[in-house]
Amino acid sequence: MSNALTPLGKELRKLRIDALERIADLARALRCTASFISAVELGKRSPPEDFLQGIVHHYNLDAAAEARLRNLAALSTTAVRIDLTEGTSDRSRELAVAFARAFPTIDSEKAAKLLETLTWPNNQKGQKR
Amino acid sequence: MTGFRRRVPGRRRADISTHANLLRNHFSLIAGDSPDAFPVVEYVEFVLPQVMDDFVLEIVDDHEMPGMEGATWPDKLHMKLPRSVYERAAANDGRARFTVSHELGHLLLHQGVPFFRETHQSQTIAPYECSEWQANEFAASLLMPEEVVKACGSVRDIMERCGVSQTAAVNRLKVLKMVKPRGW
């Protein structure tokens, strides 16, 4: 296990230092524990949406800074959950499972192609999170 | 790491307090006038990351560090504190501030230091060669520099001005061989 800060962790630390806030101060403002913030910084927990919203609000981030934060959060994610409980067809379940199984074998070239297929049709509608 | 004594290359008391004083001066340079009570949590959170980009302060729930007050891996630039200790230090509790200072001592004094492997669990480690003695000595001189202690009029005065516990203040007086005048 690594003990380095994730890119998101470094960004959070920078925001805190710029505001002269300790982890304890941020924890109080966001009503969470210091150990939770630390776990997010080290990539041991994925940042939940309300945490990110709390950061955006607390540091009064503009749209560009928020986009940057969210991008780093996505990069720092250690696992992705796909909800297969509601309104999921057998076909799409199969897809999710097949993808999870094949994931370790997908090289960067293949990943680029798959990403293209996944993103071009709905670039107008915007990506749902 | 806190918890077990290791034999490390010896350091004199004067050498350790020079390190601690440099660090206090470094903080004053950045922050302007610094108070007698050295803001060790702020130093660890605001200053260390600027001088050591890879430094990591990790805070974990207490049950993840049973029976421990802190741990440091100097070569990984990694300090780990249980949440209760961190929170108390952030709220200026004297004992917890000493713990953080002690861990900071390990981080700064014991980087790249070979931890000698003992063939026997010997009791023959001289104090100046003991990792724990060195870290305690560092913490004491960081939080209670000699000249500040000398300007204090009582144990309570040391506790308040330096932000330390009674035990730490009394120990420091003994180490500095300052006789407690009657009525302290």
Side-chain angles (χ1 to χ4, degrees), chain A residues 88-105:
Chain A
T88 320
S89 70
D90 285 351
R91 208 77 179 122
S92 55
R93 269 164 208 268
E94 202 183 327
L95 170 67
V97 174
F99 182 76
R101 200 172 290 148
F103 185 75
T105 69

Side-chain angles (χ1 to χ4, degrees), chain B residues 6-19:
Chain B
R6 305 273 209 126
R7 194 155 71 91
V8 294
R11 279 184 190 269
R12 292 155 171 273
R13 174 165 285 142
D15 167 36
I16 292 173
S17 67
T18 303
H19 268 77

Side-chain angles (χ1 to χ4, degrees), chain A residues 20-40:
Chain A
L20 283 183
E21 278 185 335
R22 304 165 303 174
I23 294 177
D25 305 316
L26 181 62
R28 189 170 307 126
L30 297 188
R31 293 163 193 267
C32 63
T33 63
S35 41
F36 176 80
I37 295 176
S38 183
V40 169

Side-chain angles (χ1 to χ4, degrees), chain B residues 32-95:
Chain B
D33 258 356
S34 70
D36 281 345
F38 184 74
V40 66
V41 173
E42 285 75 5
Y43 185 85
V44 166
E45 292 208 46
F46 300 153
V47 183
L48 270 190
Q50 324 240 11
V51 284
M52 303 172 181
D53 190 45
D54 292 328
F55 169 71
V56 169
L57 169 67
E58 181 178 12
I59 300 156
V60 298
D61 288 330
D62 288 14
H63 65 83
E64 292 182 53
M65 292 179 80
M68 292 177 82
E69 290 185 77
T72 296
W73 293 266
D75 289 332
K76 292 182 179 165
L77 303 179
H78 182 192
M79 183 190 295
K80 190 167 169 178
L81 299 171
R83 173 153 75 95
S84 61
V85 171
Y86 168 75
E87 283 173 349
R88 285 201 299 272
N92 290 323
D93 169 76
R95 185 184 163 85

Side-chain angles (χ1 to χ4, degrees), chain A residues 6-81:
Chain A
T6 62
L8 176 70
K10 288 210 164 177
E11 179 72 10
L12 290 174
R13 183 165 83 175
K14 187 176 173 302
L15 288 169
R16 266 207 330 273
I17 294 176
D18 289 347
L20 283 183
E21 278 185 335
R22 304 165 303 174
I23 294 177
D25 305 316
L26 181 62
R28 189 170 307 126
L30 297 188
R31 293 163 193 267
C32 63
T33 63
S35 41
F36 176 80
I37 295 176
S38 183
V40 169
E41 287 187 355
L42 287 159
K44 292 177 180 177
R45 312 218 14 198
S46 292
E49 175 55 29
D50 60 346
F51 175 81
L52 292 175
Q53 271 171 18
I55 294 288
V56 169
H57 183 250
H58 182 65
Y59 291 118
N60 209 5
L61 300 185
D62 62 23
E66 176 175 355
R68 180 181 155 72
L69 184 81
R70 288 187 178 281
N71 187 34
L72 292 175
L75 287 175
S76 302
T77 298
T78 51
V80 177
R81 269 198 79 209

